[in-house]
Amino acid sequence: MTESRPTVAIVIPVYNEESVLPELFARLEALFREHADCGWRVVFVNDGSRDRTSEMARAQGLLDPRFQLVELSRNFGFQSALAAGLAAARDADAAVTMDADLQDPPEVIPELVAAWRAGAEVVRAVRRSRQETGVRRAGFDLFHAVFGKLTDIPIESNTGTFGLLGRPALEAFAHLPERHRFFPGLRAWIGFATADVEYDRQERAAGAPKQTFRRLVRYAVDGFFSFSYLPLRFLTYTGIFVSGLGFALGLFFIVKRLLGIETASTGFTTLVSVVTFLGGIQLIGIGVLGEYLGRVYDEVKQRPIYLVKPPRR
Ligand code: UDP
Ligand code: MG
């Protein structure tokens, strides 16, 4: 690290963000003006936008070469776009990761940098408050409550993407080849000295959220399956419990017969419920196995996480 003036790259995935870009440019420029003690760089990753995002980011880069643009060949999703940005920022001393929509205010970045300069390798921005309401909010809360309890690697609730990674952490990220990426989990997994900086999460500055609710659910499911064997373990326990129950029942009827206690030979309802119950458990089991198997399949295929568009001719 150049002790005096480190280079800090700000990695921002963008997908159809034309409505927030002007304000984002202005606020980043103000930040760079006020904090000349860092060599700033912005790495926009255009995740296959269909609006004017690409043109606007390119125009900004012509005005100010500190604004760089990586173009993906299509929409790969936020996690992949972030991976592309981190790869492009590997030569920086540190990389800030954030959303384009200004929910993560750029004004917090100097605090992240300060925590890093004070010795932390990984800095997480922790939300003091959240603006989301309704179903989305309930979903986030549920996710964080359950995730912490279920996974082998606890992640700090109230943290998202926003944060900073020092060079060693960036290197470590570059060596995580998995396709199903869940950034906060990976960040917890790599370890290193970690510091937290509190901030107030803002409302989206303009435009509609680009992560659909379905995507967020898939992302949450990904988080679970990538960081926990609990669903599998739970199956084993259920299996042990159900077979124990079956054994006890069998024993019960044998003893009853031996003692000559008359058993009424109805039991059709019982039979039907037991068979459907067991069938259900087996199907759930196959589903859970399938979740892992599908992920194994995705990893085995070894497809790249993203593809970068060739430069314009
Ligand atoms: N984003 C992206 N690819 C996508 C969807 C979203 O790069 O397929 C970007 C988006 O432009 C924004 C960030 O991911 O910079 C977070 O998206 P959003 O604000 O919609 O999500 P939320 O705030 O609900 O997490
Ligand atoms: Mg957002």
Side-chain angles (χ1 to χ4, degrees), residues 94-136:
V96 170
T97 46
M98 65 183 254
D99 289 356
D101 58 4
L102 296 164
Q103 284 191 285
D104 309 329
E107 293 71 28
V108 179
I109 293 174
E111 290 176 52
L112 302 178
V113 172
W116 167 63
R117 288 184 122 171
E121 213 50 71
V122 173
V123 186
R124 301 179 297 193
V126 182
R127 293 179 279 256
R128 208 180 288 139
S129 59
R130 262 200 116 122
Q131 307 298 329
E132 283 96 357
T133 46
V135 197
R136 256 175 128 78

Side-chain angles (χ1 to χ4, degrees), residues 73 83 89 125 184-185 212-213 233 269 275 278 295 297 310 312:
S73 65
T212 56
F213 194 69
R233 228 171 276 153
T269 318
V275 166
L278 288 182
R295 269 151 240 270
Y297 186 44
R312 277 191 182 176

Side-chain angles (χ1 to χ4, degrees), residues 158-180:
N158 289 320
T159 57
T161 315
F162 198 21
L164 178 146
L165 302 171
R167 170 76 69 76
L170 279 173
E171 273 308 314
F173 256 92
H175 289 104
L176 296 175
E178 56 212 82
R179 274 89 198 143
H180 290 269

Side-chain angles (χ1 to χ4, degrees), residues 258-281:
L258 288 180
L259 293 179
I261 302 168
E262 193 52 58
T263 319
S265 56
T266 48
F268 177 71
T269 318
T270 321
L271 211 61
V272 167
S273 16
V274 167
V275 166
T276 41
F277 175 68
L278 288 182
I281 288 189

Side-chain angles (χ1 to χ4, degrees), residues 21-199:
L21 283 183
E23 188 181 341
L24 181 64
F25 295 153
R27 280 169 65 180
L28 287 172
E29 280 169 340
L31 171 80
F32 300 166
R33 257 196 316 276
E34 277 163 42
H35 297 269
D37 55 335
C38 288
W40 298 103
R41 246 174 73 195
V42 179
V43 179
F44 284 120
V45 182
N46 177 24
D47 189 15
S49 300
R50 281 181 297 266
D51 63 359
R52 297 191 55 252
T53 297
S54 167
E55 286 81 347
M56 291 169 76
R58 183 166 303 122
Q60 179 68 14
L62 290 177
L63 289 176
D64 181 344
R66 289 177 298 188
F67 288 78
Q68 299 168 357
L69 175 63
V70 174
E71 297 249 34
L72 301 189
S73 65
R74 63 168 170 87
N75 178 253
F76 279 90
F78 175 74
Q79 296 293 324
S80 302
L82 191 63
L86 289 175
R90 262 171 86 183
D91 54 340
D93 293 313
V96 170
T97 46
M98 65 183 254
D99 289 356
D101 58 4
L102 296 164
Q103 284 191 285
D104 309 329
E107 293 71 28
V108 179
I109 293 174
E111 290 176 52
L112 302 178
V113 172
W116 167 63
R117 288 184 122 171
E121 213 50 71
V122 173
V123 186
R124 301 179 297 193
V126 182
R127 293 179 279 256
R128 208 180 288 139
S129 59
R130 262 200 116 122
Q131 307 298 329
E132 283 96 357
T133 46
V135 197
R136 256 175 128 78
R137 173 66 191 258
F140 285 127
D141 285 350
L142 180 75
F143 175 72
H144 282 296
V146 179
F147 192 90
K149 295 222 165 47
L150 290 196
T151 55
D152 305 329
I153 298 196
I155 54 164
E156 170 67 38
S157 59
N158 289 320
T159 57
T161 315
F162 198 21
L164 178 146
L165 302 171
R167 170 76 69 76
L170 279 173
E171 273 308 314
F173 256 92
H175 289 104
L176 296 175
E178 56 212 82
R179 274 89 198 143
H180 290 269
R181 302 175 81 82
F182 176 62
F183 182 76
L186 294 176
R187 185 171 56 189
W189 182 87
I190 62 170
F192 292 128
T194 304
D196 289 343
V197 167
E198 287 200 333
Y199 78 109

Side-chain angles (χ1 to χ4, degrees), residues 221-271:
V221 171
D222 249 9
F224 282 125
F225 283 94
S226 307
F227 285 91
S228 175
Y229 293 117
L230 207 95
L232 285 174
R233 228 171 276 153
F234 188 72
L235 264 184
T236 314
Y237 297 150
T238 314
I240 291 171
F241 174 73
V242 171
S243 45
L245 202 71
F247 184 74
L249 266 177
L251 215 61
F252 173 71
F253 285 120
I254 289 171
V255 170
K256 233 174 147 187
R257 173 62 67 79
L258 288 180
L259 293 179
I261 302 168
E262 193 52 58
T263 319
S265 56
T266 48
F268 177 71
T269 318
T270 321
L271 211 61

